[in-house]
Amino acid sequence: MKLKNWQGSLAALFIVLLISGCGWLGQNSASKLPKPSSKSANLKSVHYYSLAETAIQNQNLGLAEKLLDKAITSDEKTIYLKQRQIEILSYLAQKDSTYQKKLTTLAHNYYKKGQYNAEILFDLARFYASQKSIEKADKYFREAIEMQPDMQKILIYYLFQMQNKPEADEKLLQQAEEQPWENAKFALILGELYFRIDEEKGIQILEKAHEKWDNEETFEKLIVFSSRLYPSQHIIQLIEDRLAADKAVSTSLQQYFIELNFREQNFAKIVQHKQLCYELDTQQILRYLFFAAVELGKHELAAETGEYIAQNKELEPEQQDSFYQYVAQQFFQLANYTKTAYYLNQIKEPLIIIYFFNEQMMMQATDVEILALLEELQKFDTNKTNFVLANIYATLEQKELSQKFLAQVDDDFIEKNKLFSVAALTYLINSENTEKAYQLFSQAGNINANEEIALYLRSQGKQDKAFKFMQKAQQDSLQAVSYIFLADYYEQEAKIDSALQALQTAASLYPADADILNYYGYFIANQEISRLYPKAEKLLQKAVELQPDSHYIWDSLAWLYVKQKRYSEAQKAFDKVQNATINSSEEAYHLGYFYWKTENLEKASYFLKMAINLNNETDYVKKSEELLLKILAKDEK
């Protein structure tokens, strides 16, 4: 949301004040009319003047200038006629250079004869300023202000100085402030100019202007400049107070109020002003209301607002899927499964719908709720919904239903939407159909099909089957995690050389993968392959450089030092471990063993008991129990 750009460039501000258009010329004042007298010449002058003013109103300035010539010929004593003539010539000269000579000739002639007023001097100054004749402009500006100072003239002169002199005379601003405050526009410009040199003084001027005129324009400008000086909460309060007083607030400022509250996370205030949001009725403001309601858990308001946006505002294509997902979430919270399914069906990308279901299940949605929603989704009976149903029923282990819906999905839909991997996993979950899964994974591109099958089987605890597919997958490059699986499997089978070979391959393919380097180094230490200790140290030191905050890697390095009996270095590495949250029996055992070796039995007992209590790695729990018994037996002696 953008507010009016009050702080434009100095040049633009100067031009606004310097050059007046036909609208300004048309501001006729009856009090300035020359009074008719019994002399026919004066009557003639008034007649020509009236015709000239009519021509000005009709924006026929060329005719107005000629009529004023005749009015002046009939009455050479009335200065106002000459003033009006110079005003028109000054404007015409900006558009047509042929008027410039007449303007300067007449103005200087009036000046020499003393037939002038401050307005004539000022028009002449403005003309010279527009022509970049700086010295002449400065002379006539000063004389005009000396003759008849007012806020407008002084501000124009100040801006002229800012544009054309090294430093403007700041005393001019003080002089302008002392003049009668008759025009809100000039008072606001005075506040802006003061703000450039003294922010607090500028705000004081703007506050005074607002107090005097108390309208939308003065309030908005006060807010724009105050927002640069005061915190957002102060600005919010100013606008809120004005709204509460039922005073006029511009639409742009109302929008700014909602936007500012959202930026400051004042979600309750946005909800409090929900009626204002609906009155503003822009997509962005309504989105602020929607997400504020979401944050506060006000699902009814969020659902109502989200549905209004979805039905009445044209969402950008890239916004649609995510927004429909949010709206569906609100209806799901209200147990309105019909509308939840409706908005899920509006989502084009099937994976986003699947993600929605997975998210609800992670957030502890019950099977009853999920099944109720799935039942509503079935009513749409499209390739998209059937594919989603197949995947979610597979996740819920309702394999027959999953297979039923998967059979209703056209192959070209899977191909068009690049859903090969998801479909392959669904086949694996339903029936462990590795042949169909291999076919689909192979179509996905840039995927090692055998590796993906192996990783799935491994996740199901089927290590032997997984290993067979991983062996096939080795013909191509594997992911880093797959090499770790191979090494782990070989270690369990006591095939240490094969494990080392797998890890060496992984380290050469992924030299900057801290997990690979850590596993490799720790494997060497744990297997006590002393000839490779120097290599393990290099691997683990590099892993530490890559992930200096990983207490797991520090633990591996410390364990290597323990194996080498380098206890001083082990202590430094273990300090990093102890500063973190220890959540594995393995790490706790390492610390217990280290302190046992360094004869700090109190700490050794502490960490061994921790390993037993964590109870998340059987081998290390058993080792901890055995070592703790040794310590207790020693204490008894």
Side-chain angles (χ1 to χ4, degrees):
M1 204 282 302
K2 295 182 179 178
L3 292 172
K4 291 179 182 176
N5 182 17
W6 291 104
Q7 282 199 289
S9 68
L10 287 174
L13 191 56
F14 178 60
I15 289 169
V16 167
L17 287 175
L18 183 65
I19 301 174
S20 301
C22 293
W24 178 79
L25 287 169
Q27 293 172 0
N28 184 23
S29 172
S31 64
K32 298 289 184 71
L33 285 167
K35 294 179 181 178
S37 69
S38 58
K39 295 181 182 179
S40 61
N42 277 357
L43 288 171
K44 216 185 266 189
S45 174
V46 171
H47 174 68
Y48 285 127
Y49 173 79
S50 298
L51 291 174
E53 288 298 328
T54 301
I56 290 172
Q57 295 294 336
N58 293 326
Q59 298 189 19
N60 191 342
L61 300 187
L63 175 60
E65 191 271 327
K66 291 175 183 177
L67 289 167
L68 281 169
D69 269 346
K70 293 184 178 183
I72 292 169
T73 301
S74 301
D75 181 3
E76 294 187 355
K77 294 181 181 179
T78 302
I79 300 297
Y80 179 69
L81 292 174
K82 296 179 173 65
Q83 174 190 326
R84 201 64 167 151
Q85 178 191 43
I86 296 302
E87 286 173 358
I88 293 171
L89 283 170
S90 179
Y91 180 77
L92 288 171
Q94 308 299 327
K95 308 289 184 181
D96 186 345
S97 60
T98 59
Y99 287 97
Q100 293 178 8
K101 185 175 181 181
K102 183 173 182 179
L103 167 65
T104 54
T105 300
L106 284 174
H108 285 295
N109 186 39
Y110 297 150
Y111 183 74
K112 287 177 183 177
K113 291 180 179 181
Q115 297 176 340
Y116 63 89
N117 60 14
E119 300 300 333
I120 289 176
L121 293 175
F122 207 73
D123 281 327
L124 193 55
R126 290 194 295 187
F127 169 73
Y128 280 125
S130 70
Q131 299 301 306
K132 305 298 181 184
S133 184
I134 307 305
E135 290 184 9
K136 288 182 178 180
D138 189 75
K139 165 184 164 63
Y140 291 115
F141 272 134
R142 280 188 287 103
E143 289 191 28
I145 290 169
E146 287 171 8
M147 178 177 280
Q148 186 184 1
D150 64 41
M151 188 180 286
Q152 179 187 9
K153 291 186 180 69
I154 296 168
L155 290 177
I156 291 176
Y157 184 37
Y158 180 78
L159 282 164
F160 167 79
Q161 287 193 342
M162 290 184 76
Q163 287 289 95
N164 299 288
K165 294 195 170 189
E167 290 185 11
D169 185 359
E170 293 174 7
K171 291 180 181 178
L172 286 170
L173 293 181
Q174 183 179 348
Q175 186 182 359
E177 183 185 357
E178 292 168 355
Q179 304 307 311
W181 287 40
E182 297 173 342
N183 187 302
K185 178 178 72 175
F186 301 134
L188 294 176
I189 291 172
L190 174 64
E192 176 178 350
L193 292 173
Y194 254 126
F195 193 88
R196 294 171 185 270
I197 58 174
D198 184 341
E199 292 182 341
E200 290 188 1
K201 176 68 175 178
I203 294 297
Q204 288 174 11
I205 296 292
L206 295 173
E207 286 174 340
K208 182 178 175 181
H210 178 56
E211 185 178 342
K212 179 176 176 62
W213 284 282
D214 193 18
N215 56 25
E216 282 186 25
E217 184 183 27
T218 57
F219 183 66
E220 183 166 342
K221 194 165 190 183
L222 174 62
I223 291 298
V224 170
F225 283 90
S226 294
S227 65
R228 298 186 59 185
L229 193 59
Y230 300 116
S232 297
Q233 295 298 344
H234 176 77
I235 305 304
I236 288 169
Q237 193 61 55
L238 287 175
I239 301 173
E240 188 162 35
D241 289 346
R242 188 169 177 85
L243 288 169
D246 202 25
K247 292 184 177 180
V249 177
S250 66
T251 300
S252 60
L253 211 54
Q254 291 175 19
Q255 291 174 338
Y256 182 59
F257 172 69
I258 300 299
E259 177 188 328
L260 201 54
N261 273 303
F262 192 81
R263 193 190 310 164
E264 294 297 311
Q265 299 187 2
N266 296 335
F267 302 127
K269 276 192 183 293
I270 295 174
V271 168
Q272 179 185 339
H273 290 276
K274 64 181 181 181
Q275 187 58 41
L276 175 62
C277 294
Y278 272 99
E279 287 171 4
L280 290 168
D281 198 29
T282 71
Q283 182 185 145
Q284 189 58 57
I285 294 299
L286 290 167
R287 283 170 71 92
Y288 289 145
L289 175 61
F290 172 75
F291 286 110
V294 169
E295 289 290 334
L296 295 173
K298 294 186 175 294
H299 303 299
E300 287 188 11
L301 176 59
E304 173 192 328
T305 306
E307 187 162 44
Y308 179 83
I309 294 169
Q311 292 180 1
N312 296 282
K313 304 298 176 185
E314 190 171 340
L315 295 165
E316 294 294 327
E318 63 272 14
Q319 296 176 339
Q320 291 173 0
D321 279 3
S322 61
F323 189 74
Y324 292 141
Q325 181 186 2
Y326 275 116
V327 177
Q329 168 72 32
Q330 302 315 303
F331 281 115
F332 185 76
Q333 292 297 321
L334 296 170
N336 188 333
Y337 305 122
T338 301
K339 284 199 172 180
T340 305
Y342 171 80
Y343 282 104
L344 287 178
N345 188 53
Q346 299 304 304
I347 297 171
K348 296 183 178 65
E349 175 56 61
L351 292 180
I352 293 178
I353 308 174
I354 291 171
Y355 171 79
F356 174 89
F357 276 97
N358 290 334
E359 187 179 37
Q360 303 319 309
M361 288 186 276
M362 286 174 61
M363 293 170 67
Q364 309 305 315
T366 66
D367 285 354
V368 171
E369 292 170 328
I370 295 296
L371 291 169
L373 177 54
L374 290 172
E375 188 175 341
E376 288 295 327
L377 200 60
Q378 289 178 36
K379 295 176 182 178
F380 293 97
D381 191 22
T382 64
N383 274 307
K384 177 177 65 180
T385 54
N386 288 334
F387 184 83
V388 171
L389 290 163
N391 181 273
I392 303 306
Y393 277 124
T395 304
L396 295 172
E397 297 185 355
Q398 295 196 22
K399 298 178 180 181
E400 289 185 11
L401 268 177
S402 174
Q403 204 60 39
K404 168 192 167 185
F405 285 108
L406 190 57
Q408 295 175 35
V409 179
D410 296 338
D411 289 341
D412 60 349
F413 173 81
I414 293 174
E415 184 174 355
K416 181 181 177 182
N417 291 276
K418 308 298 181 189
L419 296 169
F420 302 112
S421 294
V422 180
L425 283 171
T426 306
Y427 275 106
L428 285 174
I429 293 168
N430 286 343
S431 56
E432 211 171 282
N433 188 337
T434 55
E435 185 177 343
K436 183 66 175 178
Y438 181 87
Q439 175 196 336
L440 288 163
F441 277 132
S442 298
Q443 289 178 268
N446 297 321
I447 286 180
N448 186 327
N450 284 312
E451 181 182 21
E452 294 297 327
I453 295 169
L455 290 173
Y456 169 75
L457 293 170
R458 180 194 176 200
S459 72
Q460 300 303 301
K462 299 179 179 181
Q463 304 294 344
D464 291 339
K465 282 188 177 181
F467 178 69
K468 290 177 182 177
F469 279 96
M470 197 65 78
Q471 280 186 310
K472 295 178 185 177
Q474 276 188 283
Q475 296 172 5
D476 302 311
S477 294
L478 300 176
Q479 301 174 59
V481 67
S482 297
Y483 284 105
I484 291 175
F485 165 68
L486 281 170
D488 183 61
Y489 185 87
Y490 283 129
E491 184 180 14
Q492 291 176 33
E493 296 293 311
K495 296 179 179 179
I496 304 305
D497 288 342
S498 296
L500 284 172
Q501 186 178 354
L503 290 170
Q504 178 58 42
T505 302
S508 62
L509 290 172
Y510 303 101
D513 190 305
D515 290 333
I516 286 288
L517 301 179
N518 176 50
Y519 192 95
Y520 194 180
Y522 180 71
F523 180 84
I524 292 169
N526 218 30
Q527 292 296 325
E528 298 183 347
I529 308 172
S530 57
R531 61 185 171 82
L532 295 179
Y533 282 166
K535 182 179 182 68
E537 186 172 1
K538 288 180 181 178
L539 291 166
L540 291 169
Q541 284 177 341
K542 185 174 180 182
V544 162
E545 288 174 12
L546 290 168
Q547 290 187 18
D549 296 328
S550 172
H551 61 91
Y552 300 109
I553 299 175
W554 283 109
D555 174 68
S556 298
L557 183 58
W559 192 237
L560 174 65
Y561 289 141
V562 169
K563 293 293 184 179
Q564 295 174 291
K565 297 182 171 57
R566 294 161 63 182
Y567 298 127
S568 176
E569 291 162 285
Q571 179 68 73
K572 292 176 183 177
F574 272 133
D575 286 344
K576 301 283 188 180
V577 180
Q578 292 180 78
N579 289 335
T581 301
I582 299 172
N583 51 23
S584 86
S585 297
E586 184 176 10
E587 282 183 315
Y589 168 74
H590 288 165
L591 280 159
Y593 183 90
F594 165 71
Y595 283 117
W596 175 64
K597 279 291 187 179
T598 54
E599 298 184 353
N600 188 335
L601 300 185
E602 184 179 348
K603 278 195 171 183
S605 298
Y606 172 80
F607 284 109
L608 291 170
K609 288 175 182 177
M610 180 188 291
I612 295 166
N613 290 332
L614 286 168
N615 194 27
N616 51 21
E617 291 169 79
T618 305
D619 288 347
Y620 289 97
V621 171
K622 184 178 179 182
K623 287 180 179 181
S624 297
E625 289 172 341
E626 291 171 354
L627 186 52
L628 187 59
L629 284 173
K630 283 185 182 180
I631 293 172
L632 292 173
K634 186 175 181 181
D635 285 344
E636 288 176 3
K637 290 180 182 179

